[in-house]
Amino acid sequence: MNSAQVDAYLRRLGVEHPAWPTVDALRELHLSHLQTVPFENLSIHLGEEIVLEEKRLLDKVVGARRGGFCYELNGLFGALLAALGYDVALLAARVYGDEGRLGIPYDHLALRVRTVDGGDWLADVGFGAHSHLPLAFGDRGEQEDPGGTFRIVEAEPDAAGVRGGHGTVEAADLDVFRGGTPQYRLEVRPRVLGDFVAGAWWHSTSPVSHFTRSLVCSRVTQDGGRITLSGRRFTATEADGTREVRELETDEEVLGVYRERFGIGLGTVPALRDPA
């Protein structure tokens, strides 16, 4: 990512170029990303190809002012952080689903970020409702965040009785909890963006992927709440949990919400595609 691309990305986020890759700058970048770049899966239902290459992701998120899902958002955010001088590792995770079952390998992409003023941080701008600020990677206690109470703990053996990391604490898989509920299981081995292509393809095409079965566009609001458009249902959640839900009746209303609340200009209303 060259300097012009970095500057354009920072303008998209509405933040100044940080002087140093510090934790305070990381917090600002992380929160601004969640507030300005939506978590959305519209490409799947608009028939748009999802390509995990930096130039294509820049064209989509910065050039077209769109959002994306984890591979796109965290993949590109990681490239920005690296260009700003942060030490960044891409990590693979498996998301907890129904009845506590873990999803496919490369189910999710998150970031481990090291700052110049010390410490490692779990950054994740691509999981939907999650922490608003980076989490301390090495902290095993409760971490309070505007998005909830989080914990990062060493994972227990999986359903096959296997404990990740081959028995060493330093390489052990980690479970990320929110409000006492496990969200995903992280592998600490660094990956490259190309490793996630199969996971992105599966989530974009499989009839059992929740991304092919639903439409979602969501972002954090300036006051710490969240707005979400799921199909034609618009939900505004305040920071205190108060929620207002309304059904949008016309295509004009739907396109207007995409445009005015998420900054996404569309010519047609996205509709669920048949994965077949």
Side-chain angles (χ1 to χ4, degrees):
M1 193 178 297
N2 61 41
S3 60
Q5 292 168 329
V6 168
D7 290 344
Y9 200 157
L10 294 175
R11 285 195 300 272
R12 169 83 164 102
L13 301 183
V15 299
E16 298 294 327
H17 196 297
W20 294 98
T22 63
V23 64
D24 286 343
L26 175 62
R27 289 191 179 108
E28 181 185 19
L29 290 162
H30 195 278
L31 181 58
S32 296
H33 208 290
L34 292 171
Q35 292 173 338
T36 56
V37 182
F39 176 84
E40 49 106 333
N41 67 340
L42 305 182
S43 288
I44 295 171
H45 304 287
L46 291 170
E48 299 171 349
E49 186 180 15
I50 294 172
V51 181
L52 299 187
E53 296 174 359
E54 187 175 302
K55 175 61 167 60
R56 293 287 293 271
L57 296 179
L58 278 166
D59 288 344
K60 180 178 180 179
V61 173
V62 178
R65 303 186 71 82
R66 285 280 302 279
F69 59 172
C70 69
Y71 311 105
E72 301 170 288
L73 299 184
N74 282 326
L76 192 60
F77 188 50
L80 172 67
L81 294 177
L84 293 173
Y86 291 95
D87 182 358
V88 181
L90 276 59
L91 303 183
R94 298 173 69 189
V95 178
Y96 280 94
D98 296 338
E99 301 177 358
R101 290 192 298 267
L102 287 166
I104 64 169
Y106 300 101
D107 202 11
H108 180 59
L109 188 164
L111 305 172
R112 183 174 184 170
V113 183
R114 181 165 295 162
T115 64
V116 293
D117 46 354
D120 287 353
W121 303 89
L122 175 63
D124 193 341
V125 296
F127 195 67
H130 197 60
S131 67
H132 294 192
L133 301 169
L135 301 173
F137 202 91
D139 189 337
R140 297 295 173 257
E142 291 188 346
Q143 301 188 50
E144 296 296 333
D145 179 89
T149 301
F150 292 83
R151 287 190 70 202
I152 303 173
V153 301
E154 187 177 330
E156 297 294 329
D158 63 16
V162 177
R163 180 180 177 275
H166 306 287
T168 64
V169 173
E170 293 79 9
D173 291 350
L174 300 172
D175 278 341
V176 179
F177 285 78
R178 176 179 181 241
T181 301
Q183 303 296 294
Y184 52 77
R185 177 165 292 189
L186 276 172
E187 298 177 10
V188 298
R189 172 187 170 186
R191 306 288 181 174
V192 296
L193 190 57
D195 291 338
F196 296 87
V197 169
W201 175 83
W202 187 89
H203 276 300
S204 302
T205 60
S206 171
V208 298
S209 166
H210 62 275
F211 286 115
T212 61
R213 294 181 292 162
S214 64
L215 275 161
V216 64
C217 185
S218 182
R219 70 169 178 84
V220 173
T221 57
Q222 295 293 325
D223 61 1
R226 175 173 290 277
I227 54 174
T228 302
L229 182 57
S230 300
R232 290 180 177 271
R233 176 171 295 179
F234 180 71
T235 303
T237 306
E238 302 295 334
D240 63 3
T242 305
R243 179 175 297 183
E244 179 183 350
V245 181
R246 63 187 176 96
E247 295 290 336
L248 306 179
E249 300 295 335
T250 67
D251 287 359
E252 289 73 19
E253 285 182 284
V254 175
L255 294 175
V257 168
Y258 277 125
R259 182 177 60 253
E260 296 161 15
R261 304 303 299 270
F262 299 100
I264 296 176
L266 298 175
T268 59
V269 174
L272 286 178
R273 295 183 70 200
D274 181 354

